[in-house]
Amino acid sequence: MLHRFRFALIVLCTLALAACGNGIVKRVSEPAASLQQLTVRADGNWSVALRLQNYSSMPMTFDDVSLALTVGDSEAGTLQTRPGISIGGTSADVITVELVPSSAARLVVADALASNRTLAYALKGSVSATPQEKKQRSFDISSRSTLNQAPGLPGVLR
C-alpha cells in the first residue's frame, strides 16, 4: 500500500511540474554573418549577398550591420546597412549590400577571378538585433571563410 502511495505521489508531482512550464524555451544566441555571394559589377563596385543567421529560439529583428570586410590580406571596406528585417528562430536570410571596395581589394578579387582561385575573406564588426519582446542587443561578429568562382557566372564568387 505504501509503495503504491509513493508511486502515485511521484507521478502526481511529475505531472504538476510538467504543467508549470509551457515547454517553449526562449533562448537568445549570438547571430552569425557570412558572405553568400560577391558580385563584381561593371563599374568595379561590388554587390555583396550577406547571410544573417539567427541561432536564437525566437525571432529577432536585425536593426544594424557594420562589418569590416577583408579579402585576402586587403581591407575592402565596411558593409554598413540597416536592414530592419525579422528572421525567425534558427533561420537565416540574405540581404544585399553595395560596396565601393578599396583599390587593393579590387586587385585581390580580380586576381582570384582571373586565376580561378579560392578567395579567403574575413568579417569583423557588430550586428545589432532585437529579440522578440526584449531589448536591442549588439553582438560582436568575427568570422573567416572562403568563396569560389561560380561556374558560368563571370565576376561572381560564392
Side-chain angles (χ1 to χ4, degrees):
M1 181 77 166
L2 185 59
H3 180 60
R4 285 186 185 167
F5 177 73
R6 282 186 186 164
F7 180 75
L9 187 60
I10 290 172
V11 169
L12 185 61
C13 288
T14 303
L15 289 173
L17 284 173
C20 289
N22 61 6
I24 298 173
V25 177
K26 291 189 175 184
R27 175 183 41 82
V28 176
S29 300
E30 287 192 16
S34 60
L35 299 189
Q36 184 161 316
Q37 181 171 299
L38 186 152
T39 304
V40 178
R41 298 192 325 233
D43 63 2
N45 295 334
W46 299 348
S47 182
V48 179
L50 182 68
R51 179 182 172 90
L52 298 173
Q53 178 75 45
N54 177 11
Y55 287 112
S56 298
S57 62
M58 68 186 83
M60 288 204 309
T61 300
F62 285 75
D63 305 307
D64 190 40
V65 174
S66 180
L67 299 169
L69 172 61
T70 303
V71 291
D73 292 326
S74 300
E75 293 179 11
T78 301
L79 300 174
Q80 187 90 36
T81 187
R82 298 183 62 81
I85 61 170
S86 180
I87 300 175
T90 64
S91 295
D93 206 343
V94 178
I95 59 172
T96 301
V97 182
E98 303 303 321
L99 180 67
V100 178
S102 68
S103 298
R106 285 179 201 238
L107 291 173
V108 169
V109 169
D111 183 51
L113 287 167
S115 59
N116 197 20
R117 282 187 293 146
T118 298
L119 176 70
Y121 75 87
L123 294 171
K124 189 169 181 77
S126 65
V127 172
S128 295
T130 306
Q132 185 179 40
E133 302 170 10
K134 304 217 183 245
K135 293 188 329 185
Q136 184 184 59
R137 293 177 54 183
S138 182
F139 300 93
D140 291 332
I141 302 290
S142 182
S143 65
R144 293 181 172 277
S145 192
T146 58
L147 296 170
N148 295 299
Q149 191 165 6
L153 299 173
V156 177
L157 297 158
R158 289 188 176 156

